[in-house]
Amino acid sequence: MADRDPMLSTSHSFYDVARHGILQVAGEDRYGRRVVTFSCCRMPPSHELNHQRLLEYLKFTLDQHVEHDYTIVYFHYGLNSRNKPSLSWLQSAYKEFDRKYKKNLKALYVVHPTSFIKVLWNLFRPLISHKFGKKVTYFSYLSELREHLQCEQLPIPPEVLRYDEKLRSLQEGRPPPPTKTPPPRPPLPTQQFGVSLQYLKEKNQGELIPPVLRLTVTYLRENGLHTEGLFRRSASAQTVRQVQRLLDQDVESSLRVTHCRQILRSLPEHNYAVLRYLMAFLHAVSQESILNKMNSSNLACVFGLNLIWPSQGTSSLSALLPLNLFTELLIEYYETIFSAHEAPGERGPGMADAGGQGSHHIRGCGGTDPPQPSPGLSGLRVP
């Protein structure tokens, strides 16, 4: 049974992805090789999951095992039009996994393949080496997988077990078993939608009225009572999903924006100017996300880690999530954070280096002289 990890903490660097239980590491195959499972049925709708973050989490997990032989079990059941990544993402994901990941991968078992998998395989065949292709094995039933693995050790999702039973029932002419609703995924600490009123009360100091309801009603009282046809027209589904995501992640908090401004006041003038110029452009890109599909979250995943360098060694993976969240704030709230009355280069309070991860410096641009060091950004905690 693939129950979620009770040890998973909200402070985990990839909690936003890990909480879904898509990726699991458990058990060994008959040759003593570590087994990693990927379950498509646990992938939420695409607007609720940052696929770039999923790729980073997959690499983060595999990095702990690729020095030794390992096996991947891919449960295809549950992949559909609502949660399926784009083909361009799949292509870039394959390219991300260089020889370090492929060398010690001894077997890739695909369970319950469909015609989509076969079409996908033909599309990617020119990119896939013959040697890697020989590692892929398809299993139509879990019974075939059990001939290679000790399945009692594997965290097979209940949804996959029921689907396999359904397939075997159809094959044998028996009526399929009744369907069951999968258990809910653990919510984000700041989640506002899809959670109970009791959960919202506990997360908001006993407040009985959900914050999103109070904010919406307050805004409409002040600005919308004289609007003709109020509530008659519906917003676009994409706009609604975007607003839900922002509220769930709490990035509308004035405390976070204020803290970002405090951090940036401590930057040298040159660093501040370069950062402001770049964020202005990325903010403009995010404003056209309906067309370019690059919202502030997607842009943050691309640029977050590229904005800093560590004062010693390499960047820690534990710093990835806070850096991306920080960058997302800079892009989303550019006009507020980089307001005109902020004095570039004005020295302000620095930020304590949290978690003992070492400090990072914001990258400069151009020239031969390195930028002046700025306060550490590793382990950033935005209130």
Side-chain angles (χ1 to χ4, degrees), residues 6 31 45 81 94 104 114-115 131 134 172 181 183 194 204 207 215 241 256 270 311 315 326 329 363 371 379 381 383:
Y31 303 97
S81 59
Y94 179 78
N104 290 329
T114 62
S115 56
K131 184 177 181 181
K134 292 173 63 176
E172 298 169 5
T181 303
N204 293 280
E207 173 61 50
L215 285 170
R241 289 194 297 265
R256 292 187 176 209
H270 192 175
S311 56
S315 298
F326 178 70
L329 282 170
R363 293 182 185 273
R381 297 183 182 274

Side-chain angles (χ1 to χ4, degrees), residues 264 267-284 307 330-331 334-345 362-363:
L264 298 187
L267 293 178
E269 183 177 4
H270 192 175
N271 296 65
Y272 181 94
V274 171
L275 182 64
R276 180 175 181 172
Y277 183 83
L278 177 60
M279 291 302 111
F281 171 67
L282 296 183
H283 177 73
L307 292 179
L330 297 183
I331 298 172
Y334 164 79
E335 294 177 348
T336 303
I337 294 175
F338 294 91
S339 57
H341 66 268
E342 282 293 309
I362 289 188
R363 293 182 185 273

Side-chain angles (χ1 to χ4, degrees), residues 242-290:
Q242 176 75 351
V243 172
Q244 287 180 339
R245 183 184 66 82
L246 292 175
L247 289 171
D248 278 342
Q249 294 183 355
D250 202 29
V251 294
E252 86 288 359
S253 170
S254 60
L255 288 177
R256 292 187 176 209
V257 172
T258 299
H259 198 52
C260 284
R261 288 159 62 96
Q262 292 174 348
I263 292 171
L264 298 187
R265 279 204 303 269
S266 65
L267 293 178
E269 183 177 4
H270 192 175
N271 296 65
Y272 181 94
V274 171
L275 182 64
R276 180 175 181 172
Y277 183 83
L278 177 60
M279 291 302 111
F281 171 67
L282 296 183
H283 177 73
V285 172
S286 71
Q287 295 298 101
E288 303 296 331
S289 61
I290 293 180

Side-chain angles (χ1 to χ4, degrees), residues 49-279:
L49 177 67
N50 187 315
H51 288 143
Q52 181 61 30
R53 290 279 297 156
L54 175 61
L55 176 59
E56 293 167 358
Y57 176 51
L58 179 57
K59 294 176 68 174
F60 169 81
T61 302
L62 293 182
D63 280 340
Q64 303 172 50
H65 304 283
V66 294
E67 295 302 321
H68 306 281
D69 293 350
Y70 69 102
T71 296
I72 293 180
V73 179
Y74 170 78
F75 295 111
H76 182 66
Y77 170 72
L79 194 69
N80 53 57
S81 59
R82 297 176 66 240
N83 65 3
K84 184 168 57 179
S86 66
L87 289 178
S88 60
W89 181 88
L90 292 172
Q91 183 176 1
S92 63
Y94 179 78
K95 292 179 179 179
E96 283 281 331
F97 291 99
D98 52 24
R99 186 175 181 275
K100 179 182 75 170
Y101 298 96
K102 299 172 185 175
K103 180 181 65 173
N104 290 329
L105 173 62
K106 299 307 177 184
L108 170 57
Y109 298 134
V110 179
V111 182
H112 300 139
T114 62
S115 56
F116 171 77
I117 286 290
K118 297 174 183 178
V119 171
L120 196 64
W121 182 261
N122 288 329
L123 288 174
F124 283 95
R125 188 180 294 276
L127 301 175
I128 299 174
S129 67
H130 177 70
K131 184 177 181 181
F132 181 81
K134 292 173 63 176
K135 299 179 180 181
V136 181
T137 305
Y138 296 99
F139 296 132
S140 298
Y141 303 98
L142 290 174
S143 57
E144 299 171 352
L145 179 66
R146 291 188 177 98
E147 297 178 6
H148 296 261
L149 299 176
Q150 302 174 27
C151 287
E152 61 275 6
Q153 296 182 12
L154 293 183
I156 303 177
E159 302 94 315
V160 173
L161 292 172
R162 288 193 291 268
Y163 179 70
D164 188 75
E165 176 64 21
K166 177 181 178 181
L167 290 180
R168 290 191 292 110
S169 297
L170 293 174
Q171 184 189 41
E172 298 169 5
R174 295 184 285 112
T179 59
K180 296 182 180 179
T181 303
R185 309 286 165 77
L188 291 167
T190 56
Q191 191 159 332
Q192 303 290 314
F193 299 91
V195 293
S196 68
L197 290 174
Q198 182 62 31
Y199 180 86
L200 292 175
K201 174 185 174 182
E202 294 171 355
K203 292 294 182 179
N204 293 280
Q205 293 76 47
E207 173 61 50
L208 296 178
I209 307 301
V212 64
L213 178 59
R214 187 177 295 280
L215 285 170
T216 303
V217 169
T218 299
Y219 177 84
L220 291 176
R221 281 185 181 277
E222 296 175 354
N223 304 281
L225 296 183
H226 296 160
T227 301
E228 182 178 353
L230 183 63
F231 302 125
R232 185 182 300 166
R233 292 185 59 188
S234 299
S236 70
Q238 182 172 356
T239 299
V240 172
R241 289 194 297 265
Q242 176 75 351
V243 172
Q244 287 180 339
R245 183 184 66 82
L246 292 175
L247 289 171
D248 278 342
Q249 294 183 355
D250 202 29
V251 294
E252 86 288 359
S253 170
S254 60
L255 288 177
R256 292 187 176 209
V257 172
T258 299
H259 198 52
C260 284
R261 288 159 62 96
Q262 292 174 348
I263 292 171
L264 298 187
R265 279 204 303 269
S266 65
L267 293 178
E269 183 177 4
H270 192 175
N271 296 65
Y272 181 94
V274 171
L275 182 64
R276 180 175 181 172
Y277 183 83
L278 177 60
M279 291 302 111

